[in-house]
Amino acid sequence: MGKSADFDLCVVVDDDEDILTAARLLLRGLFNEVVTARAPDEAITAIAGRSADVVLLDANFARGATDAAEGLAWLDRLLAIDPELVVVMITAHAGVNVAVEAMKRGATDFVSKPWSNERLLATVRTAASLRRSRRAVAVEKARVVAITDTKPGTSTPLIGKSPAMARVHSLIARAAPTEANVLVLGENGTGKEIVARELHARSLRARAPMLTVDLGAIATELIDSELFGHVKGAFTDARADRIGRIQAADGGTLFLDEIGNLPLHLQPKLLTVLEQRQVTPVGANRPIPVDIRVIAATNMTPETMRDDRHFRQDLLFRLNTVEIELPPLRDRREDVAALVTHFLDHYARRYNRPAPELTAGARAALSAHDWPGNVRALRHAIERAVILAGDAPLEAEDFPLGAPSAPRVAPEAVVAPAASELNLEKVERRLVEEALKKNGYNISMAATELGLSRAALYRRMEKHGL
């Protein structure tokens, strides 16, 4: 079997049989199949149910016609059938006005007759590559919609009526309908992604997908390619073109979680995207227009974010048009009761069992606990209790609260686990918790101190309900 061509299908439409023969012979090395047609309606019939990489369309078909009216009308019909179709117009020599009008109507490029073989090959190759890129974008967007589609009743609402949360709700209501970029600040587990989803759901882009990128879970050396995409051959393992997350979010919302992990050397590149509304994949020479709204989140403190040793201030200025700071759960204890009720009902339905009752002592203990992992830790504690619940009401001892809450310990006061404690699970939990406390719940710093990657630390936090 012969080697497969670079592209699959090219359709050439022209009323001159010599032109069709020359195009077929020239392009057969670039495409697996070259279909020729002397009339546009024949071409439409020939490719029905198929997806052409490129259509070469003559501007005139009627004998003696020079105004390109027929070709332009067929261009409109083709693009009405498939708006993503890539059409290259074939114009008479010096037909510049026709070419300009064709490109205004959606043609990708044009070639003049008589053509240069090199020029035609280069034009058609570029057009076919554009079609491939559009397909990749469509596939990626479909994948994003599939993985971000939330079934009714399964998303976690933003619960809380405390004064601190009332301010958060107010900021969301005012910022959501705008195109303003939003920066969400808060400790891990406070619900920053929930805020992002609320902003997107109430925005003018709600019908488009929201694409989430966790910069804390991507290896540093891969962030450039993941965000901005790359072209084939840009680096050793770049075996094909790949669109980045920014381009995949075109028309919708891009949520950059843990934005503080974006390396300093890539921050100017993101700044360019926000300022110029275009992205340049790794190894590419031409930028691609994008239309996105950016919501970013970080567990860094405002003071750290405003330190240019950690984050470029011009990028911060672009990201925090609106800034929303989520309070830790310990600072809004009056919301704990409502959260407990919500999670009890949620996990009772999920595991198909009655929602357990709580004693007054259990509710008081839950409200009094500091919850270092915030709402995420509370949710895990409730899920565990629902799974293990018997017939009796749940007591405080049924929740992994540890010792009663005490004043927060200064970093220098944190000590190593007792030498007599040899239970590996307990030692690991204690070390992780103490590293988080010592570093003010900054994931990057805690992970570095523990000798772990951020992703590995997240897994341990999930495991131990932190």
Side-chain angles (χ1 to χ4, degrees):
M1 182 177 291
K3 182 180 178 182
S4 177
D6 290 348
F7 304 101
D8 184 34
L9 174 63
C10 177
V11 179
V12 187
V13 191
D14 198 292
D15 59 346
D16 188 329
E17 190 64 44
D18 291 338
I19 291 290
L20 295 179
T21 301
R24 182 172 58 249
L25 293 174
L26 180 64
L27 298 174
R28 64 185 180 180
L30 194 59
F31 295 88
N32 289 322
E33 182 179 3
V34 178
V35 173
T36 58
R38 297 192 64 174
D41 53 350
E42 294 176 18
I44 290 176
T45 301
I47 64 174
R50 304 179 64 186
S51 180
D53 294 285
V54 181
V55 173
L56 274 77
L57 176 66
D58 192 16
N60 294 291
F61 292 91
R63 183 179 298 274
T66 59
D67 60 1
E70 193 175 2
L72 293 173
W74 278 105
L75 172 64
D76 293 340
R77 286 189 60 179
L78 286 167
L79 293 178
I81 295 171
D82 181 0
E84 297 299 318
L85 190 64
V86 170
V87 180
V88 175
M89 293 295 293
I90 305 174
T91 67
H93 184 64
V96 175
N97 292 336
V98 172
V100 170
E101 179 62 24
M103 295 183 74
K104 284 182 179 178
R105 294 194 185 197
T108 300
D109 208 338
F110 71 96
V111 291
S112 298
K113 292 187 289 188
W115 60 60
S116 154
N117 285 348
E118 292 76 12
R119 158 74 174 161
L120 180 63
L121 280 171
T123 300
V124 172
R125 182 185 293 277
T126 300
S129 296
L130 174 63
R131 175 64 162 171
R132 176 180 288 173
S133 176
R134 287 179 179 176
R135 285 177 182 152
V137 171
V139 169
E140 181 70 5
K141 284 191 173 183
R143 185 188 69 81
V144 169
V145 170
I147 64 177
T148 59
D149 185 30
T150 304
K151 302 295 185 297
T154 62
S155 60
T156 301
L158 194 62
I159 296 172
K161 296 183 178 179
S162 61
M165 288 304 295
R167 172 173 169 75
V168 171
H169 285 293
S170 175
L171 288 171
I172 291 174
R174 285 179 285 168
T178 73
E179 287 292 291
N181 294 330
V182 180
L183 178 64
V184 187
L185 302 172
E187 294 178 5
N188 285 297
T190 49
K192 297 187 289 294
E193 183 170 356
I194 298 173
V195 170
R197 294 196 178 282
E198 282 285 311
L199 287 164
H200 175 70
R202 300 190 198 183
S203 74
L204 301 177
R205 299 170 180 262
R207 292 182 179 272
M210 183 182 92
L211 194 153
T212 298
V213 183
D214 184 354
L215 293 168
I218 302 174
T220 302
E221 62 272 16
L222 298 179
I223 290 178
D224 195 357
S225 175
E226 286 290 324
L227 271 185
F228 304 101
H230 63 251
V231 298
K232 182 179 179 181
F235 47 87
T236 303
D237 292 326
R239 298 183 177 88
D241 292 355
R242 180 179 178 183
I243 68 167
R245 305 297 183 87
I246 291 173
Q247 190 181 350
D250 186 37
T253 301
L254 179 67
F255 176 45
L256 298 175
D257 200 5
E258 301 298 346
I259 187 67
N261 286 278
L262 182 65
L264 279 168
H265 72 277
L266 291 180
Q267 291 180 19
K269 198 168 181 178
L270 178 59
L271 178 63
T272 298
V273 172
L274 298 179
E275 289 181 336
Q276 300 181 10
R277 296 295 169 179
Q278 55 186 24
V279 60
T280 303
V282 179
N285 297 319
R286 184 178 300 175
I288 300 167
V290 289
D291 172 26
I292 57 172
R293 182 193 193 180
V294 174
I295 301 173
T298 181
N299 61 358
M300 284 185 172
T301 64
E303 294 74 25
T304 303
M305 287 293 289
R306 289 173 174 81
D307 184 341
D308 55 16
R309 292 173 299 178
H310 297 285
F311 208 83
R312 286 181 63 107
Q313 297 309 289
D314 48 2
L315 176 56
L316 178 62
F317 177 75
R318 285 286 179 180
L319 290 172
N320 72 341
T321 305
V322 176
E323 190 172 287
I324 299 176
E325 187 167 3
L326 277 171
L329 193 52
R330 61 183 175 275
D331 290 346
R332 57 181 187 106
R333 297 180 191 272
E334 58 265 60
D335 292 330
V336 171
L339 287 163
V340 168
T341 298
H342 169 77
F343 289 131
L344 282 173
D345 291 341
H346 173 78
Y347 286 113
R349 289 194 304 272
R350 181 171 181 177
Y351 296 114
N352 194 27
R353 59 183 61 190
E357 295 291 328
L358 268 66
T359 65
R363 290 189 177 276
L366 292 172
S367 295
H369 190 59
D370 267 353
W371 296 110
N374 294 296
V375 178
R376 180 188 296 142
L378 175 62
R379 185 183 73 231
H380 289 169
I382 298 296
E383 181 180 16
R384 175 182 179 274
V386 169
I387 292 171
L388 301 178
D391 295 330
L394 296 175
E395 302 281 356
E397 292 74 20
D398 293 312
F399 298 91
L401 303 180
S405 297
R408 295 179 67 77
V409 183
E412 60 271 15
V414 176
V415 296
S420 59
E421 178 61 81
L422 296 178
N423 183 285
L424 185 59
E425 292 291 310
K426 292 181 179 179
V427 170
E428 182 181 74
R429 186 186 195 283
R430 192 176 303 168
L431 284 172
V432 170
E433 188 171 9
E434 289 175 354
L436 289 168
K437 288 181 179 179
K438 180 179 178 181
N439 292 283
Y441 291 88
N442 182 295
I443 299 298
S444 296
M445 295 170 65
T448 299
E449 182 152 341
L450 290 167
L452 300 172
S453 67
R454 289 176 51 83
L457 179 53
Y458 272 127
R459 288 194 294 270
R460 284 164 174 78
M461 289 171 65
E462 292 281 346
K463 173 184 174 182
H464 297 297
L466 297 173

